[in-house]
Amino acid sequence: MDQKLLQLNAEYARALDDDRLEAWPEFFVEDCLYKVTSADNLKRGMQAGLIYADSRNMLRDRVSALREASIYERQTYRHIVGLPVRLKSDDAEAHCETPFLVVRIMRDGKMDLFATGRYLDRVVEEGGSLKFRERLVVCDSSRFDTLLAIPL
Amino acid sequence: MIVEKKIWPESLARVPYWVYQDEANYRDEQRRIFEGPVWSYACLEQDLARPGDFRTAQIGELPVIVVRADDGEIYAFENRCAHRGALIALDEGGSGAKDFQCVYHAWRYSQQGDLLSVAFEQGSNGRGGMPKSFCKEEHAPRKLRVAVLANLVFVSLSDDVPPIEEYLGDEVLGRIERVMGKPVEVIGRYTQSLPNNWKLYAENVRDTYHASLLHAFFGTFRITRLTQGGGVLVSPDGGHHASYTIDAPGDETSTAYKEQGIRSETTYRLADPSILDAVDEFGDRIQLQILTAFPNFVLQQIYNCLAVRQIVPRGTNAMDLHWTYLGFKDDTPEMRRRRLKQSNLVGPAGYVSMEDGCVGGFVQRGSAAAGGELSVISMGGDTAATMDTRATEASVRGFWKIYRTLMKV
């Protein structure tokens, strides 16, 4: 399980950083929750996220919007994902926390530390591989530079 | 950036690019606008529910503390110690504040902003201390007037500004009350740092012309299209506006966008359209209303997604946009979930607002060497009057109307 968890996190980051966004929804089960929030919003029980998707199709819509509708300057991310801690688990699912750091590289080469935080995950096994039932992206800061296009 | 020739054309429909670049002008704005005869949005009344609750805010460059005192009233004063100028309150807010003490030398202020005590005022062992002539009543941070309206707290440094209702005008006031008529609950707070002068955002949010052109998401899903019903209200002084879109069945057959080859006409469709499952909660078929109050306030209703946006300048080339996402206290769980889903449209990652986050930077960079050139704001003529179409830049001209009045240019 732990080896699979590492693999899941590594593949997730690699898909986003390699601009294989279409693969991103497939890391989730159909009935999922993906939310980008901040530590402060989480602490205060404020539920609205920067991104809030409660189905895999909403994740697919994010990707097709980025591909076909949204306007933003060309940019890529480099995710550095730390080691997951298993908070609790049973046969059905595991609750994990994993720290991350994301560098944003703009088309002109400018690099910025764009986001840091932790993933709060509920991970389940589906069809022989691990998937996210829930991934809360809890950013350490509530401030975002310019825009958040590519998912974290 | 120093601009050699600061021209100002006669027409409201032309704006020189140096106004987004010039540092002396930026300092003038602080004095003439943010500290001038305007009402600036500070916080929600909900943020100050109980005595001792306070929030800090920034009015232009001016840091302020807004607090509900034990007498039940709301007071506002500059967040600056009268001693050496340090911030008095460091957090964005808090509760149970009986008084405020500067961390630097422990000078203490009342909830009204009066200086209560000076540490070691009498010195130590009979030596040192403040001069006998020192009078605490003469030393205090500047106090601001406070106006509370429809869940919103506004502040002003000016004794000359008219009452808030008169300042906003009946039409815009009615549009605020339309949305903010019930007790609200904050459901999210985020800050978006934008790489542009604050005025570029103030214009963008008043610009009804761009909405369906820049934002393909809007156009394709007919949330707002210039061919739908709606219009724009502009206050007599130009500073405040409300634009609105009315749900108009039959618009699907319009081919105006396709005929003009406009990018926002795409074949893009959603796999999960639940994000667009909106209800007419205000009972007037207005799907979208964007409202501004000069200088720093934006109120947004996009379907059932409600938010207040606060503009904070950060020098000539940068600004912060503080987003406060709202629901109502009496929301059903279904309505709350609807708001959470629709919040995907706005904020730093919003299907719509994302683009407003970058487009100001495109203007700032595109016009960097064009301080002496003029921006063209002629859609719908050269006045700032209310119009029953959104194919106009009337409310952008309105911004410049009040701006030029206050800046005396």
Side-chain angles (χ1 to χ4, degrees), chain B residues 126-171:
Chain B
R127 291 195 297 276
M130 295 299 278
K132 289 265 182 297
S133 60
F134 181 77
C135 176
K136 289 199 284 289
E137 287 72 25
E138 290 171 5
H139 297 269
R142 287 182 284 176
K143 293 177 181 176
L144 290 87
R145 290 170 64 193
V146 174
V148 180
L149 174 113
N151 285 305
L152 307 166
V153 179
F154 292 87
V155 298
S156 179
L157 264 179
S158 169
D159 291 329
D160 303 325
V161 66
I164 185 85
E165 293 81 2
E166 196 183 315
Y167 176 73
L168 294 170
D170 286 343
E171 282 190 315

Side-chain angles (χ1 to χ4, degrees), chain B residues 311-333:
Chain B
I311 296 172
V312 179
R314 296 274 184 203
T316 55
N317 293 325
M319 58 163 279
D320 284 344
L321 188 63
H322 295 306
W323 291 85
T324 306
Y325 296 53
L326 300 175
F328 292 115
K329 283 198 193 299
D330 67 359
D331 278 350
T332 60

Side-chain angles (χ1 to χ4, degrees), chain B residues 2 11 92 136 150 153-154 187 202 232 242 246 303 332 334 357 384-385 398 406:
Chain B
I2 306 291
S11 169
E92 72 278 8
K136 289 199 284 289
V153 179
F154 292 87
I187 60 172
V232 54
I246 298 173
Y303 285 160
T332 60
E334 293 74 32
L406 292 170

Side-chain angles (χ1 to χ4, degrees), chain A residues 37 41 44 46-50 52 54-55 58 61-62 64-65 70-71 73 107 142-144 146-148, chain B residues 92 186-193 263 268 270-272 320 337 341 344 348-349 351 354-355 357 365:
Chain A
T37 182
N41 278 274
R44 294 174 199 279
M46 297 190 288
Q47 289 181 293
L50 293 190
Y52 182 97
D54 61 3
S55 74
M58 282 186 81
D61 288 335
R62 264 283 154 189
S64 48
S70 304
I71 302 297
E73 256 179 304
R107 66 175 174 88
S142 298
R143 173 188 292 269
F144 293 84
T146 309
L147 54 80
L148 174 80
Chain B
E92 72 278 8
V186 175
I187 60 172
R189 286 187 198 273
Y190 297 97
T191 297
Q192 189 175 9
S193 309
R263 179 186 52 78
Y268 171 51
L270 290 174
D272 183 346
D320 284 344
R337 185 145 175 257
K341 280 174 176 268
N344 281 293
Y351 285 132
M354 171 191 309
E355 292 149 354
R365 279 147 58 193

Side-chain angles (χ1 to χ4, degrees), chain B residues 41 55-56 85 104 150 159 162 169 217 244 259 278 334:
Chain B
Y41 170 73
R55 290 288 297 178
T56 55
Y104 200 175
D159 291 329
F217 196 89
Y244 57 99
E259 284 162 7
E334 293 74 32

Side-chain angles (χ1 to χ4, degrees), chain B residues 3 6-8 15-23 25-26 29 197-200 203 316 364 370-371 373 399-400 403-404 407 409:
Chain B
V3 178
K6 295 186 194 173
I7 48 154
W8 260 113
V15 175
Y17 291 110
W18 63 261
V19 300
Y20 310 107
Q21 304 165 349
D22 185 68
E23 281 166 18
N25 188 66
Y26 180 81
E29 288 171 351
N197 186 276
W198 70 277
K199 298 187 290 299
L200 286 170
E203 290 181 282
T316 55
Q364 194 82 35
E373 303 286 328
F399 175 85
W400 292 108
Y403 181 91
R404 293 177 65 163
M407 295 291 285
V409 288

